[in-house]
Amino acid sequence: MATKATGIALVISDVDGTLVTDDKQLAASTVAAVKRLRAAGIGFSIASARPPLGLRGLVDALGLDLPMGAFNGASVVRPDLSIIEERLIPEAAARAALERLQAEDLDVWVFAAGAWCLRDPEGPYADLERRTIDAEPRVVADLGSLMGAASKIVGVSRDHAHLADCEARIGTALAGRATVHRSQAYYLDVTPPGLDKGQFVAWMSAHLRIPPERIATFGDAGNDRPMFARSGFSVAMGNAEPGVKAAASAVTDGNGADGFAHGVARFILP
């Protein structure tokens, strides 16, 4: 693994498991690290599985001024959360995903038309999601009615091993029709086909006219690996799975141990 990046002009970071702690807080060290990047003339943005509204609290806290990738890059939004580009899951694929997630006995959430929709507001991890995106869910009796407007469908389970198995099965079944990745051990995300965080890195490279080799990325989960593959330097968090660490240029400390700040200091800043 490399020990130091050179010539980095832009850093793009995942959020949950990377930029924030497990209780969804921004450490003071993280805020300071982003300020140090900006002082060094290095741009900073985020790519997250979160919906746009779940990025709102980060904008002011970090002084974000560049486009951001939501829904694993399927939506690109400005700091005021207005949409620059947006893709939805094709309706037929969305219906197939819903059927398969339900058949696996998973709780299902649907993000559509700016809302977080579910059937059971007291289901697994619903309280965590409330805190994460600072929003209340919309209770919907029939999730199938949202399949023509779905930006992201999430299978949720406390059985992490089962969800990992579901990722492989459902990913194979929906290959070419939707993108399927776990964003956390307990969330299995279904998003539009052909779009992932790697595509967002490429979009930012073209938008800002920064060559990919001058972009660094930070992440912790399988859905961050496409981002690693499209950037010149990548940093995996200490809490990442072994396969994610193996895909990165370098590994920093965990998200609960100032890992982002340490990674910026060790690997990015000149």
Side-chain angles (χ1 to χ4, degrees):
M1 287 189 176
T3 57
K4 191 83 173 181
T6 57
I8 296 301
L10 174 67
V11 171
I12 300 175
S13 178
D14 168 54
V15 177
D16 298 292
T18 301
L19 203 62
V20 300
T21 59
D22 287 343
D23 60 356
K24 308 302 180 181
Q25 300 300 308
L26 280 170
S29 64
T30 299
V31 178
V34 172
K35 289 181 178 178
R36 290 183 67 195
L37 288 170
R38 185 171 290 111
I42 299 172
F44 179 77
S45 184
I46 53 181
S48 176
R50 291 187 184 191
L53 62 92
L55 306 179
R56 181 172 48 204
L58 300 171
V59 173
D60 289 339
L62 296 174
L64 302 181
D65 56 2
L66 293 175
M68 303 175 291
F71 295 132
N72 290 324
S75 292
V76 180
V77 300
R78 301 178 181 89
D80 65 3
L81 305 189
S82 59
I83 299 293
I84 298 174
E85 292 188 6
E86 179 183 51
R87 282 267 301 277
L88 302 179
I89 306 170
E91 184 171 356
R95 292 193 180 281
L98 178 63
E99 291 174 4
R100 289 183 177 276
L101 293 170
Q102 291 175 332
E104 296 284 359
D105 199 28
L106 305 176
D107 274 60
V108 180
W109 301 343
V110 178
F111 291 85
W116 164 35
C117 305
L118 45 64
R119 289 180 298 179
D120 180 6
E122 304 304 322
Y125 297 103
D127 190 54
L128 176 64
E129 189 71 1
R130 286 183 178 92
R131 298 196 306 273
T132 299
I133 67 173
D134 192 25
E136 285 294 319
R138 178 184 298 168
V139 178
V140 176
D142 178 18
L143 295 175
S145 65
L146 303 172
M147 294 301 97
S151 295
K152 181 174 76 165
I153 305 171
V154 186
V156 184
S157 177
R158 298 191 189 280
D159 187 340
H160 300 172
H162 174 56
L163 202 65
D165 290 340
C166 290
E167 179 180 21
R169 285 195 296 271
I170 296 175
T172 298
L174 296 179
R177 297 191 289 161
T179 301
V180 181
H181 284 299
R182 280 178 299 152
S183 57
Q184 298 291 329
Y186 39 84
Y187 292 159
L188 179 59
D189 296 343
V190 179
T191 50
L195 294 173
D196 54 31
K197 293 184 182 182
Q199 294 294 324
F200 176 68
V201 171
W203 189 94
M204 287 290 281
S205 175
H207 180 71
L208 298 177
R209 298 181 181 178
I210 296 174
E213 59 268 24
R214 298 192 66 197
I215 299 175
T217 52
F218 282 71
D220 75 301
N223 65 336
D224 297 316
R225 292 179 64 170
M227 186 166 64
F228 290 179
R230 300 296 287 269
S231 58
F233 195 89
S234 53
V235 182
M237 303 301 291
N239 48 286
E241 296 178 354
V244 176
K245 292 179 180 178
S249 307
V251 178
T252 186
D253 301 303
N255 65 318
D258 298 321
F260 178 80
H262 291 164
V264 166
R266 291 174 190 163
F267 308 122
I268 308 301
L269 290 175

